[in-house]
Amino acid sequence: MAQALDGLLAMLQRIAPRARTLAATAEREARLSDEIARALAQGGFYRLMVPRSLGGLELPFPDVLRVIEAASAIDGALGWSVMIGAGGGPFAAFMEREVAEALFGPADALVAGSGVPAGTAERVSGGYRVSGRWRYASAASRATVFTANCMVPGDGEPQVRAMAFAPDQVALLGGWDSAGLRGTDSQDFAVEGIFVPEVHSFSIMADPPREPGPLYRLPFGALTGLSLAAVALGIAGHAVEAFAGLAEAKCPPGSSERLSRDPGAAIAWVSARADCAMARAGLYAMADELW
């Protein structure tokens, strides 16, 4: 597994110069460039948590976080896209083998969707009749499958169950208007009255995983929460180092001295680096204990 991690990190360093060059274009066009998206897919970054039995990498979870952090330190939208692309991989472990192979087996498989139960799935013969609208599905325009949580009415309390949709069943609605992470291709999406077969539904909360690996027994809240923290950590580390470069060239108003010579700026920079180091140590200690 260490070899796989080293290869992924080396690949990110090869991608980094072009990703940074194209970051402004990604922000303007509200999605990663075709070049970078293709490099991520071909490099296996969307398969970090797909089961090995389906051709995925099934990395140890702390290694997944290291890849996400490294990608986020290059560019925030890049790291977020890696996190989202990888984050759908565990769903394959909760679906029947034939369905999982069809949805997650292709090398370019990419899941977009939402964990918010903003849809309704009515039980019908053989599956569900589903309608709903969900917000902020990252990588929406390149997704090969969408997943979304729905409320399933029935006797007693409604149950939450995820449904898998083909891209041609989904209406993309835009909706992402932000000051940052615009390159994540995050869009609202909707379905109206479509039929979803039972085998295209799953619950990571109620269904037992069909794969034996420990990755598929992690609490999903911890998996998503620590993955989000890895994105934030990568962005923060990049910001701290970017400030160091800026300080070598920039002078504060009314001064001819560079910021790098200002004691206050130096103290703030050292403090920020220490904060990042402590956050990193805490994140990976928690991930190692969880693993």
Side-chain angles (χ1 to χ4, degrees):
M1 288 302 168
Q3 185 176 4
L5 175 61
D6 291 344
L8 289 162
L9 294 178
M11 203 177 310
L12 280 175
Q13 291 311 304
R14 292 195 294 273
I15 295 171
R18 285 295 289 162
R20 285 178 173 146
T21 297
L22 294 170
T25 301
E27 288 285 297
R28 184 171 63 252
E29 297 180 353
R31 69 179 210 162
L32 295 182
S33 69
D34 290 341
E35 177 184 342
I36 298 303
R38 185 166 52 250
L40 293 178
Q42 292 176 348
F45 290 95
Y46 301 148
R47 305 184 68 72
L48 302 182
M49 293 193 281
V50 173
R52 281 192 293 275
S53 64
L54 299 176
L57 295 175
E58 198 175 329
L59 289 184
F61 185 53
D63 288 353
V64 173
L65 297 180
R66 290 182 175 91
V67 174
I68 293 172
E69 182 195 357
S72 303
I74 296 168
D75 173 61
L78 176 71
W80 184 274
S81 298
V82 169
M83 178 196 69
I84 292 296
F91 299 159
F94 293 85
M95 307 183 83
E96 290 189 6
R97 174 72 185 213
E98 185 176 338
V99 176
E101 285 180 341
L103 297 183
F104 294 88
D108 63 347
L110 176 58
V111 180
S114 173
V116 177
T120 300
E122 179 187 357
R123 291 188 183 275
V124 296
S125 178
Y128 303 87
R129 188 68 60 187
V130 180
S131 297
R133 173 173 176 161
W134 298 264
R135 306 210 70 187
Y136 308 145
S138 299
S141 67
R142 292 191 175 98
T144 61
V145 60
F146 286 78
T147 63
N149 274 344
C150 296
M151 301 301 296
V152 182
D155 296 334
E157 290 292 323
Q159 302 298 307
V160 176
R161 195 159 183 85
M163 306 288 152
F165 314 124
D168 61 5
Q169 294 178 302
V170 169
L172 296 182
L173 306 172
W176 183 242
D177 184 14
S178 69
L181 293 180
R182 286 184 53 79
T184 58
D185 189 16
S186 299
Q187 300 193 47
D188 296 359
F189 69 100
V191 301
E192 183 62 41
I194 68 167
F195 174 72
V196 175
E198 179 71 42
V199 293
H200 281 220
S201 75
F202 61 95
S203 171
I204 58 173
M205 302 299 184
D207 297 346
R210 298 169 182 265
E211 292 284 336
L215 188 59
Y216 311 114
R217 284 159 176 78
L218 293 177
F220 196 71
L223 187 151
T224 55
L226 294 182
S227 295
L228 284 166
V231 174
L233 186 60
I235 292 172
H238 183 193
V240 170
E241 298 311 317
F243 176 80
L246 179 69
E248 288 298 327
K250 187 175 179 64
C251 299
S255 172
S256 60
E257 291 289 334
R258 292 175 181 171
L259 275 172
S260 58
R261 298 177 181 272
D262 182 276
I267 291 170
W269 179 71
V270 169
S271 176
R273 287 195 74 191
D275 287 343
C276 285
M278 286 190 292
R280 181 175 293 107
L283 173 65
Y284 289 109
M286 192 179 301
D288 289 340
E289 182 178 358
L290 180 67
W291 187 245

